[in-house]
Amino acid sequence: MEFRPLEINVISAEDLKDVNLFTKMDVFVVVSINGDHRSGQRSPVDKGSGPNPEWNCSLKFTVDEAAVLRNGLSLVFHIKSERKLGDKDIGTVQVPVKELLDEDNGNGKIKRNLSYAVRLPNGKAKGVLNFGYKFGDKFSSQFPVTSEKPAMAYPPPSTSYPPPPFAYPPPPHSAGYPYPQPGSGHPSYGYHHAPVQGYAYPGHGGYFGYPPVQKPQKPMKGGGGMGAGLGLGLAGGLLGGMLMGDMVGDSYEAGVEDGLDFDF
């Protein structure tokens, strides 16, 4: 079997659809062969880039020469916006690898730059993706090769944590008080009441017990409790605002795609 190295340089994108309503998009790209996540490689995230991100990121693949010649392989670019409530799809670019090889004419020493239109999830075109590519020399191998280095699948698998090494034992079973036996001279039949723990004072016919009184906790010096509460409230408000912005943006975008008219 013959294979070719394929180097992809994800350069930038222009005029992408803005899928965030209140904040600027943090955009990245996942590049794969035929959309297979096992071969997917991810670019860095361009923070706050909005609709015009830049990456200049180099990704390396290895393609089957025979599959390329029969036009059986495609290079797929998934452009996404990183968000708190889950990444949002912006658009996709799909390029046949044979088209790149024909354009290259087998000269792997020349690195070519191309621009392709970005397709939205609804099929419409919006924005442009700029990338470069270069093929390497063919080589033979008896085993199938998909990439020059192990590619991390997207999204990465979640990490499971082992159970705790020990557990607290259950509380001991409390023994009840026995019934008095008939003929024992006890004045009455029934349960005995457990003695009340705590302070006692003398009364008629014995002592009456009260539970100990717990002292109220003193407030922290310097208003620490109030400051901590205000800090947590501000942090929660900012995070809640970001999450609510993403939810409102998604609802507004869904309404626009369904043809609804929003009047403000």
Side-chain angles (χ1 to χ4, degrees), residues 245-257:
D246 289 344
M247 295 173 63
V248 174
D250 291 345
S251 300
Y252 175 80
E253 179 185 344
V256 171
E257 292 180 353

Side-chain angles (χ1 to χ4, degrees), residues 155-180:
S158 59
T159 303
S160 60
Y161 294 92
F166 63 90
Y168 290 101
H173 180 69
S174 59
Y177 292 92
Y179 285 99

Side-chain angles (χ1 to χ4, degrees), residues 9 34 39 50 68 70 125 128 172 176 186 209-210 212 234 245 260:
N9 182 28
N34 288 357
S39 65
V68 172
R70 66 172 179 265
V128 176
H186 198 276
Y210 286 88
L234 290 175
L260 301 179

Side-chain angles (χ1 to χ4, degrees), residues 73-190:
L73 298 181
S74 294
L75 200 63
V76 183
F77 301 81
H78 288 286
I79 307 175
K80 298 174 177 284
S81 174
E82 187 178 61
R83 305 199 318 181
K84 299 294 183 182
L85 291 179
D87 301 333
K88 181 73 172 179
D89 290 332
I90 300 175
T92 304
V93 174
Q94 187 168 343
V95 183
V97 180
K98 186 176 185 301
E99 184 176 315
L100 301 179
L101 185 62
D102 293 342
E103 183 73 19
D104 184 80
N105 291 325
N107 189 350
K109 297 181 180 180
I110 300 177
K111 195 168 188 176
R112 300 178 181 274
N113 294 334
L114 299 174
S115 297
Y116 277 78
V118 178
R119 294 289 176 181
L120 303 179
N122 59 10
K124 297 181 180 179
K126 173 63 175 175
V128 176
L129 175 69
N130 305 311
F131 70 94
Y133 74 96
K134 182 177 68 174
F135 284 98
D137 296 332
K138 291 189 296 183
F139 66 93
S140 298
S141 176
Q142 296 180 355
F143 304 98
V145 181
T146 55
S147 61
E148 294 187 1
K149 58 181 179 180
M152 179 181 294
Y154 177 83
S158 59
T159 303
S160 60
Y161 294 92
F166 63 90
Y168 290 101
H173 180 69
S174 59
Y177 292 92
Y179 285 99
Q181 299 296 326
S184 59
H186 198 276
S188 61
Y189 296 99

